[in-house]
């Protein structure tokens, strides 16, 4: 129940992890406005998603938050310091697992450690990699090569790689959209479990309304051209969320609200 | 078990609609049979044409002459005769030329594939030189390096360096955007990205270039010998041709092709060993 209490309270909002103010991004000498004045706050331990049609600037927003791309205007603060480049306290995941076929699963997971602290440190952390693999149900696959993993297994390994450096905040760009629906539902619940266990904050990009509602404390609905946050919808459903909740009337109401916002955004 | 009890009734009601899928007869014959048949057809045609008297034996030697000459050259090679030392000369030119081509090719390839300066300023010149008929440089190499092994090594390396440069540079661009973004997000240095991402991603392309080079390096060495004399197999071919000893030319060429097969096989084996995760590209034929 503490999770629910955390959601509804307005007076004592948790410490913000991310604070974006007036973030804009232009491409092609200002001819393409990918993002226009996006402001949002991600408090500690919360799960937020961004939903919007493709090409509305979601990936651009995530890259800016991750420090992979500078904004044209505005500021991005993470844990009280400005984001001026990639940082170790951010964990990222993309649509494709991006495991390297010449590394075993364990070596892939330890890649961030190897890059930051060297081969020796990576070898020392092997036990942790094995425990993470166990956590996502891939125990025993340490020495398997990615070609031996299915799409869902590969994405689970990618989750482990993201978690190996104990990030404060997870940035997820449509991480499961390449998977079939059954696997995706399962992976989403895994993701929720991982976030709750570590009290990590998460920021998920998706174009699935039900995925956004089932996972999030807040859903930011984006419009395209220019990319703007039309509205941020708070989802007051208890945690942990389950797939059965999709049949609740509240769930349907949230989904309808978001769908209407999306439709309006698309024709503005 | 109830299923089986009902089976006869169902089977009686339903007739099988079995039909034979058409498969061309050539697809059903095992590969080695097709290859043997083709070879037999070729040899038989050769034999018939050469004994028919339509073509002068100076142009097309008989099959039996060629086979007996193959035996003669083979014995000379095995007994360590003058042909073996010529073979060693050519082999040395090929190996040294290949080593030089790999060294220069990889260096230039990294310069072109990894640096903006290389891509913008160096690459256009490499493409320009690559389009030249490189064999035409043979007389130049002879006048610079003499009639010895040096001029042949230079031509062999010169001809085979370009596919290596192109393969290396293309390989370094092969890593996809997701992999690059991942390395960027974990704050990998440029050197780490090169060694841990770009080089392994690019190995298949690199080896494709290396395979093309491994074949052209033999051609380069022999072309150097045909045009600049020396002690190698090319010189033996030139001498045999000038004496109108066509069977000898044929059998020398056949033995020479062993060198090309050997080089190609060596590179393919290395690719199989080092690019163990990309089995598909090792069996594909090389297109130059
Ligand atoms: N590097 C870039 N150069 C030029 N335009 C870009 C670049 N990245 C994204 N864009 C443009 O910005 C808009 C938003 O892209 P993106 O953030 O990838 O959208 P989404 O992830 O929501 O599908 C698109 O119109 C796209 O064409
Ligand atoms: Mg996107």
């Amino acid at each position: 129940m503490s999770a629910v209490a955390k959601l509804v309270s307005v007076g004592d909002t948790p410490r913000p992890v991310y604070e974006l103010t007036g973030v804009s991004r232009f491409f092609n000498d200002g001819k393409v406005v990918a993002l226009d004045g996006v402001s949002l706050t991600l408090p500690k331990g919360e799960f937020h998603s961004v939903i919007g049609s493709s090409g509305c600037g979601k990936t651009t927003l995530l890259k800016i938050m991750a420090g992979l791309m500078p904004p044209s205007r505005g500021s991005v603060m993470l844990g009280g310091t400005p984001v001026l480049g990639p940082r170790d306290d951010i964990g990222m995941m993309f649509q494709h697992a991006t495991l390297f076929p010449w590394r075993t699963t364990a070596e892939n997971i330890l890649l961030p450690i190897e890059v930051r602290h060297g081969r020796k440190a990576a070898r020392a952390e092997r036990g942790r990699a094995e425990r993470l693999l166990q956590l996502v149900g891939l125990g025993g696959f340490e020495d398997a090569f990615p070609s031996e993993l299915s799409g869902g297994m590969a994405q689970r390994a990618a989750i482990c790689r993201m978690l190996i450096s104990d990030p404060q905040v997870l940035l997820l760009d449509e991480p499961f959209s390449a998977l079939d629906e059954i696997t995706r539902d399962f992976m989403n619940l895994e993701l929720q479990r991982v976030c709750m266990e570590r009290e990590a904050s998460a920021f998920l990009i998706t174009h699935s309304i039900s995925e956004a509602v089932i996972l999030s404390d807040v859903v930011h609905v984006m419009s395209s051209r220019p990319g703007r946050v039309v509205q941020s919808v708070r989802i007051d459903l208890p945690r942990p969320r389950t797939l059965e909740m999709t049949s609740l009337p509240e769930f349907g109401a949230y989904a309808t609200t978001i769908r209407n916002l999306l439709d309006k955004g698309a024709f503005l | 078990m109830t299923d089986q009890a009902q089976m006869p009734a169902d089977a009686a009601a339903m007739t099988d609609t079995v039909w034979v899928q058409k498969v061309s007869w050539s697809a059903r014959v095992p590969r080695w049979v097709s290859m043997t048949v083709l070879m037999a057809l070729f040899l038989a045609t050769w034999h018939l044409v050469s004994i028919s008297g339509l073509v002068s034996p100076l142009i097309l030697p008989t099959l039996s002459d060629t086979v007996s000459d193959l035996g003669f050259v083979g014995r000379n090679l095995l007994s360590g005769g003058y042909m073996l030392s010529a073979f060693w000369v050519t082999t040395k030119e090929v190996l040294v030329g290949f080593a030089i081509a790999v060294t220069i090719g990889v260096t230039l390839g990294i310069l072109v594939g990894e640096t903006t300066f290389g891509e913008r300023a160096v690459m256009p010149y490499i493409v320009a030189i690559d389009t030249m008929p490189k064999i035409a440089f043979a007389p130049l190499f002879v006048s610079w390096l003499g009639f010895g092994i040096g001029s042949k090594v230079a031509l062999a390396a010169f001809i085979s360096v370009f596919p290596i440069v192109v393969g290396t540079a293309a390989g370094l661009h092969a890593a996809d955007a997701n992999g690059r973004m991942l390395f960027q997000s974990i704050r990998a240095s440029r050197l780490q990205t090169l060694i841990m991402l770009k080089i392994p991603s690019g190995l298949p392309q690199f080896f494709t270039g290396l395979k093309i080079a491994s074949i052209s390096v033999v051609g380069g060495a022999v072309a150097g010998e045909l045009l600049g004399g020396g002690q190698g197999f090319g010189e033996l071919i030139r001498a045999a041709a000038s004496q109108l000893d066509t069977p000898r030319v044929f059998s020398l060429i056949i033995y020479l092709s062993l060198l090309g097969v050997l080089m190609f096989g060596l590179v393919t084996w290395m690719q199989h060993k080092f690019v163990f995760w990309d089995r598909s590209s090792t069996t594909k034929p090389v297109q130059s």
Side-chain angles (χ1 to χ4, degrees):
Chain A
M1 280 297 108
S2 66
V4 187
K6 202 160 60 188
L7 299 184
V8 266
S9 57
V10 184
D12 57 318
T13 39
R15 196 168 57 80
V17 176
Y18 259 115
E19 272 188 297
L20 277 70
T21 15
V23 171
S24 302
R25 173 73 208 202
F26 316 124
F27 288 112
N28 302 341
D29 301 320
K31 282 197 274 292
V32 177
V33 183
L35 289 176
D36 185 28
V38 172
S39 300
L40 53 85
T41 305
L42 173 64
K44 178 154 177 55
E46 285 201 1
F47 197 118
H48 285 204
S49 353
V50 170
I51 191 163
S53 53
S54 72
C56 74
K58 304 183 296 292
T59 299
T60 306
L61 177 64
L62 202 84
K63 281 188 186 169
I64 290 173
M65 289 172 76
L68 294 173
M69 181 193 273
S72 306
R73 294 235 178 85
S75 90
V76 181
M77 302 289 280
L78 169 58
T81 49
V83 174
L84 300 171
R87 285 165 52 156
D88 292 353
D89 48 357
I90 302 172
M92 289 201 78
M93 226 179 126
F94 315 104
Q95 182 174 355
H96 302 284
T98 317
L99 301 177
F100 300 108
W102 52 87
R103 292 175 158 258
T104 63
T105 306
E107 285 168 351
N108 264 293
I109 291 171
L110 290 165
L111 179 71
I113 308 276
E114 190 176 333
V115 161
R116 288 175 190 144
H117 308 292
R119 226 168 234 263
K120 222 168 133 192
R123 256 199 304 271
E125 295 277 22
R126 189 175 158 105
R128 223 154 59 78
E130 283 171 9
R131 278 194 296 283
L132 277 172
L133 277 168
Q134 231 132 38
L135 185 80
V136 300
L138 278 183
F141 281 91
E142 296 81 23
D143 297 319
F145 281 95
S147 57
E148 301 163 56
L149 305 181
S150 71
M153 288 157 88
Q155 276 300 25
R156 276 186 265 165
I159 294 182
C160 297
R161 180 180 55 202
M162 168 177 76
L163 295 177
I164 194 83
S165 41
D166 260 323
Q168 294 278 300
V169 53
L170 312 180
L171 300 179
L172 311 148
D173 191 352
E174 306 186 20
F176 308 130
S177 59
L179 304 179
D180 63 272
E181 204 175 330
I182 299 167
T183 315
R184 192 168 62 214
D185 285 342
F186 176 75
M187 298 292 291
N188 279 333
L189 296 179
E190 289 273 290
L191 192 60
Q192 167 181 253
R193 189 167 60 87
V194 162
C195 290
M196 284 176 76
E197 250 168 31
R198 323 183 143 236
E199 290 180 41
S201 322
F203 197 80
L204 169 83
I205 288 177
T206 176
H207 46 226
S208 156
I209 294 176
S210 62
E211 189 173 277
V213 174
I214 202 73
L215 285 171
S216 314
D217 300 308
V218 172
V219 178
H220 304 280
V221 182
M222 276 186 76
S223 67
S224 54
R225 287 168 206 281
R228 282 192 182 126
V229 173
V230 183
Q231 196 170 321
S232 301
V233 181
R234 185 159 278 276
I235 311 291
D236 281 330
L237 290 172
R239 288 210 182 259
R241 307 275 172 82
T242 58
L243 286 180
E244 287 78 60
M245 287 182 186
T246 49
S247 53
L248 291 175
E250 295 98 298
F251 183 93
Y254 284 129
T256 311
T257 310
I258 292 169
R259 183 167 295 115
N260 288 338
L261 286 167
L262 280 173
D263 288 345
K264 230 190 316 174
F267 294 111
L268 271 178
Chain B
M1 287 301 108
T2 48
D3 287 359
Q4 269 182 353
Q6 285 166 359
M7 273 297 277
D10 286 342
M14 202 163 56
T15 44
D16 288 348
T17 58
V18 175
W19 55 287
V20 180
Q21 193 167 15
K22 265 193 187 161
V23 180
S24 77
W25 63 268
S26 57
R28 273 179 280 156
V29 173
R31 185 188 202 157
W32 67 270
V33 175
S34 322
M35 286 177 71
T36 312
V37 167
L38 187 63
M39 179 55 79
L41 273 176
F42 171 74
L43 294 177
T45 313
W46 179 0
H47 181 65
L48 290 176
V49 170
S50 61
I51 61 166
S52 69
L54 289 173
V55 184
S56 148
L58 290 182
I59 294 170
L60 186 69
T62 63
L63 182 57
S64 52
D65 279 356
T66 308
V67 168
S68 66
D69 202 79
L70 266 177
F72 176 80
V73 174
R75 279 191 297 280
N76 191 302
L77 285 171
L78 285 178
S79 62
Y82 70 98
M83 287 181 187
L84 184 69
S85 50
F87 194 77
W88 279 130
V89 169
T90 305
T91 307
K92 203 156 78 185
E93 290 162 4
V94 164
L95 290 179
V96 176
F98 195 60
I100 293 174
V102 169
T103 311
I104 296 177
V106 168
T107 310
L108 274 179
I110 289 180
L111 179 72
V112 166
E114 182 61 14
T115 68
T116 321
F117 170 78
E119 189 176 353
R120 297 225 179 123
V122 182
M123 192 59 186
Y125 289 108
I126 289 179
V127 173
I129 298 171
D130 194 16
T131 56
M132 296 178 184
K134 289 178 275 297
I135 292 207
F137 283 77
L140 265 182
F141 286 132
V142 170
S143 62
W144 289 339
L145 299 166
F147 287 94
I149 186 173
S151 56
K152 286 84 191 173
V153 167
L155 189 65
F158 183 53
I159 285 180
S160 57
V161 76
F162 292 93
I164 300 177
V165 177
V166 173
T168 308
L172 291 178
H173 285 122
D176 70 345
N178 292 307
R180 285 163 198 267
M181 197 150 72
L182 181 77
F183 267 74
Q184 199 192 340
S185 75
I186 57 176
R187 298 194 298 113
S189 68
R190 185 173 175 177
L191 187 66
Q192 283 175 322
T193 309
L194 177 67
I195 292 171
M196 293 162 84
L197 174 69
K198 291 187 180 179
I199 287 178
S201 308
L203 281 181
Q205 272 96 333
F206 169 72
F207 271 106
T208 302
L210 210 58
K211 279 188 198 166
I212 299 171
S214 74
I215 295 169
S216 55
V217 73
V218 180
V222 174
E225 289 172 347
L226 290 175
L227 295 164
Q231 314 272 307
F233 236 53
E235 175 58 20
L236 294 186
I237 292 175
R238 198 198 54 74
S242 68
Q243 290 157 21
L244 303 179
D245 189 355
T246 324
R248 176 62 46 85
V249 175
F250 270 57
S251 54
L252 287 172
I253 289 174
I254 289 170
Y255 281 108
L256 193 57
S257 68
L258 283 181
L259 197 56
V261 169
L262 220 72
M263 290 298 291
F264 186 77
L266 190 73
V267 174
T268 307
W269 175 78
M270 279 185 4
Q271 179 176 22
H272 206 69
K273 204 165 155 57
F274 290 122
V275 198
F276 60 90
W277 63 88
D278 187 23
R279 283 280 183 258
S280 61
S281 67
T282 53
T283 47
K284 265 186 281 179
V286 167
Q287 277 132 15
S288 59

